[in-house]
Amino acid sequence: SELIRGFLLSGMPCPSSCPPGLLALMAPGLALMATFSLPSQAGDRRALPVEKPPGVKGRTLILLDVNTKSPVRIISENFLSLQLDPSIIHDGWLDFLSSRRLVTLARGLAPAFLRFAGKRTDFLQFHNVKNPAKSRGGPGPDYYLKNYEDDIVRSDIALDKQKGCKIAQHPDIMLELQREKAAQMHLVLLKEQFSNTYSNLTLTARSLDKLYNFADCSGLHLIFALNALRRNPNNSWNSSNALSLLKYSASKKYNISWELGNEPNNYRTLMGRSVNGSQLGKDYTQLRSLLQLIRTYSRAHLYGPNIGRPRKNVVAFLEGFMKVAGGTVDAVTWQHYYIDGRVAKVTDFLKTRLLDTLSDQIRKIQKVVNTYTPGKKIWLEGVGMSSAGGMNNLSDSYAAGFLWLNTLGLLASQGIDVVVRHSFLDHGHNHLVDQNFNPLPDYWLSLLYKRLIGPKVLAIHVAGLQRKPRPGRVIRDKLRIYAHCTSYHNHNYVRGSITLYIINLHRSRKKIKLAGTLRDKIVHQYLLQPYGKDGLHSKSVQLNGQPLAMVDDGTLPELKPRPLRAGRTLVIPPLTMSFYVVKNVNALACRYR
């Protein structure tokens, strides 16, 4: 790309080595401004000013081509994955994971991993008991209504009689009681979160059965994070409770992958005792030995250490861990939250500076991992748009989608293998599905991503005509463009098709002309916009002007594209997210899996 930049600035003709799509872009008197960027540099796009040709008006036209010969990255088929927080045991939602509606929604995002982990991971104790009515706790004798408990028990008995995938149809009154219970418990959970003091949590064998049933029915692979804060006097990990859970899971032949702990760099603030990186590495080595003793899990995958934001002390923690256990884990994991949910504003979700904060973290993690275990896969686990449980009408609104879609594009372009979204369903406002089991805007965005985006990431080539930018302002900072091969699982498109996804953070529409290999191809548009009078705060969305909603508890709506005629300029409305499938490109990179 540096060679191309030089020819653009010098005005010399393009050599034969230039990408074919760029030859047309470099005709005499074309470019006011040109920017060439690979998706792997999406967070660092700088424009090169070129002298304005006489007679060219100050309008915006983006010319876009894609390198179709070979992918620049290949990510996991399970790239977009999900998380459930152990708080669903506290607030009772775990008992409703067998709901047909929830299973339908989760199944729409398969294939994916389902990570069961969060702040309460390290306060979780496994008890091998079956009777749910006798093993629940609560804040008071009136907390669980007798009729409600009886309904849960009857539901469990009915589920036990089913073979294979166990699906329940819960009565409306039962769900209403659960929502009331969860609302009370929400206050308790928030108090724990803000005080950073957590009560112990019991996971029964029956609860584990329900969790695994949900994952299995939904086509998700369960990843279970074990409690790492059970410690011996010498500060080594006490594995006795974990061994009990492992033996029970093995007896049921549950196919599970494993982790140990959650944000271990914060243990001092949680328990007043710290675990350094090398000690956690020894604990992971111990866990790997334990898994190898159990036939069912002798080849199970192990992921970690799930550190927090890679500041200086956290990077040192990761280095200590990698020295000891870098070869023990199958992928190195960390987590990230963009905004403090207690102070978030809608304008925060539109800041390009915020969108780009992830790039620096990726570089830091990759540097450490590649130092100790070059080529080791890296995952971003527990990513959320805001911390502290999020904020109502913000982190669960259309506006939060800008961060989420850019996160997906940026991570894929940088070669991060999997991103785990916190959370599918929980007590806060970072979730994909609300407590009425209705999908929120980020769910529909995720569903479109799953349906249209394949694991092969393609390089984009961009040139633009625009007014001279003010100092420090570049138009493409607010126009994010990513390209992949279209998903092989989508049978509406033949192999060789390409999907673009575009984020327009401008308050004006932008025009994109497809060039080179994409020129004069039929395009299918999937334009996602807020639905209703709430605008960016909306919790409902429309696809190409039609509101999205479930057909019934067992059926997701058809995602209908809007066909655009061949050669038509793409018009991107302001403050929107959109997907464009370029049909029949016959891209060499996309013909084979």
Side-chain angles (χ1 to χ4, degrees):
S1 62
E2 290 301 320
L3 176 65
I4 295 168
R5 291 171 191 258
F7 277 93
L8 280 170
L9 289 173
S10 66
M12 294 174 64
C14 187
S16 59
S17 59
C18 283
L22 291 175
L23 294 174
L25 306 183
M26 297 179 60
L30 175 67
L32 244 173
M33 170 137 343
T35 296
F36 292 85
S37 62
L38 290 178
S40 59
Q41 298 166 330
D44 186 24
R45 296 172 178 157
R46 288 178 170 78
L48 299 175
V50 181
E51 184 179 354
K52 181 177 179 180
V56 176
K57 296 181 180 180
R59 67 184 188 277
T60 297
L61 177 63
I62 308 299
L63 296 156
L64 173 66
D65 190 13
V66 172
N67 185 339
T68 60
K69 292 182 178 179
S70 61
V72 291
R73 305 273 191 250
I74 301 178
I75 53 177
S76 170
E77 289 274 2
N78 291 7
F79 173 71
L80 194 166
S81 287
L82 307 172
Q83 180 165 323
L84 278 175
D85 194 282
S87 62
I88 64 171
I89 302 172
H90 255 325
D91 61 23
W93 284 117
L94 187 142
D95 289 323
F96 291 82
L97 290 182
S98 56
S99 160
R100 180 177 301 279
R101 192 175 180 89
L102 280 183
V103 170
T104 300
L105 288 166
R107 194 176 285 159
L109 301 181
F113 296 108
L114 178 67
R115 179 177 184 254
F116 187 68
K119 289 285 188 183
R120 292 165 181 82
T121 285
D122 295 299
F123 300 89
L124 192 65
Q125 310 294 329
F126 176 71
H127 285 181
N128 191 355
V129 294
K130 278 287 188 179
N131 188 339
K134 293 182 179 179
S135 59
R136 286 199 194 93
D142 297 328
Y143 188 74
Y144 292 105
L145 300 177
K146 184 177 185 301
N147 290 342
Y148 171 86
E149 273 208 352
D150 290 345
D151 284 342
I152 294 291
V153 173
R154 281 194 291 270
S155 175
D156 289 346
I157 293 171
L159 288 174
D160 286 344
K161 293 178 180 179
Q162 295 183 30
K163 293 182 179 180
C165 188
K166 303 177 189 300
I167 300 294
Q169 194 70 40
H170 301 103
D172 290 343
I173 184 63
M174 192 175 174
L175 286 167
E176 186 60 36
L177 287 170
Q178 165 57 25
R179 281 191 284 270
E180 290 177 10
K181 184 182 87 129
Q184 296 177 42
M185 198 62 198
H186 179 61
L187 301 175
V188 177
L189 296 174
L190 282 179
K191 184 178 179 180
E192 287 187 353
Q193 191 162 315
F194 292 143
S195 65
N196 213 27
T197 54
Y198 297 93
S199 56
N200 288 329
L201 198 57
T202 297
L203 177 75
T204 65
R206 182 173 291 280
S207 295
L208 181 59
D209 292 343
K210 291 179 180 180
L211 176 65
Y212 189 82
N213 177 71
F214 171 71
D216 195 42
C217 289
S218 305
L220 310 176
H221 177 78
L222 182 62
I223 301 174
F224 192 99
L226 299 165
N227 183 343
L229 270 181
R230 287 179 65 91
R231 294 274 141 187
N232 295 315
N234 65 355
N235 208 31
S236 63
W237 179 50
N238 185 327
S239 61
S240 57
N241 191 255
L243 182 59
S244 175
L245 192 156
L246 289 169
K247 286 181 176 179
Y248 176 79
S249 300
S251 72
K252 304 285 285 189
K253 293 183 169 54
Y254 288 161
N255 181 18
I256 303 176
S257 295
W258 304 93
E259 294 183 0
L260 182 59
N262 185 78
E263 275 197 281
N265 51 286
N266 284 337
Y267 283 169
R268 179 175 290 279
T269 60
L270 287 174
M271 293 292 288
R273 63 193 300 182
S274 62
V275 176
N276 61 33
S278 59
Q279 178 58 58
L280 188 70
K282 294 174 184 176
D283 301 334
Y284 261 80
T285 303
Q286 180 183 348
L287 175 55
R288 174 60 81 188
S289 299
L290 205 62
L291 293 172
Q292 289 173 343
L293 293 174
I294 301 172
R295 179 178 297 180
T296 304
Y297 301 122
S298 60
R299 296 184 180 181
H301 287 148
L302 182 60
Y303 307 110
N306 195 246
I307 54 171
R309 191 169 186 165
R311 297 182 176 91
K312 187 175 181 180
N313 63 318
V314 181
V315 169
F317 185 100
L318 180 59
E319 289 174 337
F321 176 84
M322 294 301 294
K323 287 177 184 176
V324 177
T328 300
V329 292
D330 295 286
V332 177
T333 62
W334 97 102
Q335 59 180 279
H336 173 68
Y337 292 87
Y338 283 96
I339 307 172
D340 185 341
R342 290 168 285 189
V343 296
K345 304 184 295 294
V346 70
T347 52
D348 291 334
F349 295 98
L350 310 179
K351 294 178 179 177
T352 57
R353 182 166 44 94
L354 181 66
L355 268 63
D356 292 335
T357 55
L358 197 54
S359 296
D360 184 53
Q361 291 194 35
I362 294 170
R363 285 190 290 269
K364 289 179 179 178
I365 297 292
Q366 286 176 333
K367 182 179 178 181
V368 175
V369 173
N370 290 331
T371 297
Y372 295 97
T373 54
K376 178 75 69 177
K377 294 185 184 303
I378 302 174
W379 293 10
L380 177 59
E381 289 188 330
V383 64
M385 302 311 100
S386 56
S387 62
M391 183 176 286
N392 190 27
N393 293 325
L394 282 180
S395 49
D396 52 2
S397 71
Y398 178 86
F402 296 120
L403 276 177
W404 179 223
L405 187 57
N406 188 70
T407 297
L408 294 170
L410 184 60
L411 291 170
S413 66
Q414 297 281 15
I416 302 303
D417 198 50
V418 171
V419 53
V420 180
R421 171 61 190 258
H422 187 284
S423 173
F424 179 71
L425 171 77
D426 70 2
H427 68 281
H429 302 286
N430 277 325
H431 42 228
L432 300 180
V433 178
D434 68 17
Q435 295 191 354
N436 292 311
F437 298 171
N438 289 322
L440 293 165
D442 275 6
Y443 175 86
W444 296 115
L445 189 59
S446 302
L447 184 64
L448 276 168
Y449 192 96
K450 280 286 188 178
R451 295 281 177 88
L452 301 175
I453 302 298
K456 291 184 178 180
V457 186
L458 304 175
I460 61 170
H461 307 288
V462 182
L465 289 172
Q466 65 176 67
R467 297 185 184 92
K468 184 177 180 180
R470 297 195 298 274
R473 295 289 296 277
V474 182
I475 189 172
R476 265 164 296 279
D477 281 347
K478 289 193 172 186
L479 190 66
R480 309 285 170 118
I481 305 172
Y482 301 96
H484 288 236
C485 294
T486 303
S487 173
Y488 298 125
H489 301 293
N490 193 323
H491 301 300
N492 294 323
Y493 302 107
V494 298
R495 292 191 181 184
S497 299
I498 287 172
T499 302
L500 308 169
Y501 50 110
I502 302 172
I503 304 166
N504 183 13
L505 292 171
H506 288 276
R507 296 185 182 274
S508 59
R509 67 180 187 174
K510 299 300 169 188
K511 295 182 179 181
I512 295 178
K513 188 73 174 175
L514 301 183
T517 53
L518 309 185
R519 184 188 291 114
D520 297 330
K521 302 295 183 185
I522 295 175
V523 175
H524 278 184
Q525 172 185 275
Y526 297 82
L527 175 63
L528 200 65
Q529 295 175 289
Y531 178 71
K533 61 183 180 181
D534 294 326
L536 294 179
H537 290 275
S538 178
K539 294 184 182 181
S540 300
V541 294
Q542 54 185 326
L543 180 65
N544 296 325
Q546 297 298 316
L548 287 177
M550 293 187 72
V551 177
D552 54 47
D553 286 352
T555 312
L556 292 167
E558 183 182 356
L559 302 178
K560 295 181 180 179
R562 179 190 174 198
L564 305 179
R565 72 174 184 271
R568 178 173 173 175
T569 298
L570 307 183
V571 180
I572 317 298
L575 299 175
T576 57
M577 295 164 281
S578 50
F579 297 78
Y580 295 90
V581 179
V582 188
K583 298 181 65 179
N584 305 322
V585 178
N586 198 27
L588 180 63
C590 306
R591 288 183 206 163
Y592 309 104
R593 298 188 70 167

